[in-house]
Structure formats: C-alpha cells, structure tokens
Amino acid sequence: MDKLALKKFLIQSESEKAQQSEIEYERYLSDNNSAENDVVDMDAQSHHQESLDIAQKLEEQIHLHERHIEQIKTIDFSPTDLIKPGAIIETANIHLIIATSIPAFTWEGKKYIGLSPQAPLYQCIKDKKVGEKCTYNQTSFDIKAIY
C-alpha cells in the first residue's frame, strides 16, 4: 500500500472540497446580498437572519476542510504494525485511516473511511495489532492488516 499516495489523495480531495465550499459560500453571499436598510418588516428580518445562519454554516464547512488538510499534513503516515494516528487498518469490510473524520470514499477500488483519534471507535482499536479485534456498537472489527 502506498500510504504517501493515499495521503496526497486525501489532501487533494479535502482541498477540492474546501474550494467547492468557498465557491458555494461566495455564490450564496452574492445571491443573498441585501443591505441592512432594505430589511424593513419582521418577515424580511427573519429571512435576513436565516441567510446569515446559512452563510455561517457554509463558512464553517470551509474551515472544517482546512482543518482536515492541516491534520492530514501533520500526521506521520510511516509504516507501522500498531494502530495509531497515521495507520491504515484493513478489516473485512472497510479500511480505516486514523487521521481525521472523513466520510466513506473509494480509492483504488477499496472502501475507506477517515477516523479521528478522538473517535470512540479509535479508543476501541487503539494500540491493537494484526489478528486482534475489537467490538464497537455490536460490530466486530477484525484487524487483517495495518499499514
């Protein structure tokens, strides 16, 4: 397994998501740009506040992807035989990347999911080795390989 290629893929993917979030944020702001003096009735004020809330959520998405990029960049992806940040774990159904929380994706024909070191599942599999397993939420994770 080429862990550095996977790391590069993750950074590229998160960068693209950050750029897309920025485009959506800018588009939303330009489509909903109204001066404060234009807000005159309660209904308009309510819509204005709702627009501000949506803009804030879109901005938070940009920052989330930026944090993911920094977390991925700083983690050591060296080969390991112990589950720790930077490890990639192969189970029967999925590959777990111990780095940051990332929704499931496919890379080179295999299904992956990013797992934060703060996640409860990580606490279950932390420091385990090949051949060991852990059960989390009534799901058994048999460690087939660690990269």
Side-chain angles (χ1 to χ4, degrees):
M1 158 149 333
D2 188 347
K3 289 176 71 173
L4 294 181
L6 180 55
K7 181 177 183 176
K8 184 177 178 181
F9 171 82
L10 291 172
I11 292 169
Q12 176 68 30
S13 177
E14 286 298 311
S15 295
E16 290 170 4
K17 290 175 186 175
Q19 289 171 350
Q20 185 60 40
S21 293
E22 287 176 15
I23 291 168
E24 291 172 11
Y25 176 70
E26 292 297 328
R27 185 178 303 137
Y28 184 81
L29 289 180
S30 67
D31 290 348
N32 292 289
N33 192 12
S34 62
E36 285 186 31
N37 295 341
D38 294 344
V39 179
V40 290
D41 64 19
M42 294 299 281
D43 188 49
Q45 286 178 354
S46 173
H47 289 294
H48 181 71
Q49 183 59 47
E50 187 175 289
S51 290
L52 291 175
D53 292 345
I54 292 170
Q56 181 179 3
K57 289 182 190 313
L58 289 170
E59 187 175 15
E60 287 171 2
Q61 282 297 310
I62 296 167
H63 296 301
L64 175 68
H65 295 300
E66 290 171 346
R67 280 192 308 275
H68 285 178
I69 292 166
E70 288 308 308
Q71 289 169 334
I72 294 165
K73 283 181 177 179
T74 60
I75 290 177
D76 178 13
F77 273 70
S78 307
T80 181
D81 59 354
L82 190 67
I83 297 178
K84 62 181 186 173
I88 299 172
I89 299 98
E90 181 181 342
T91 69
N93 300 323
I94 196 162
H95 287 73
L96 303 169
I97 304 167
I98 310 301
T100 188
S101 178
I102 300 173
F105 64 94
T106 302
W107 185 68
E108 295 187 347
K110 297 178 183 167
K111 188 175 178 181
Y112 291 81
I113 190 165
L115 188 64
S116 167
Q118 287 75 39
L121 174 56
Y122 175 71
Q123 300 309 313
C124 177
I125 62 174
K126 179 180 176 181
D127 297 328
K128 297 227 183 286
K129 295 182 179 183
V130 173
E132 295 183 319
K133 66 179 168 179
C134 92
T135 301
Y136 179 77
N137 279 349
Q138 300 172 343
T139 301
S140 181
F141 293 87
D142 295 325
I143 313 303
K144 294 184 174 266
I146 301 172
Y147 305 98

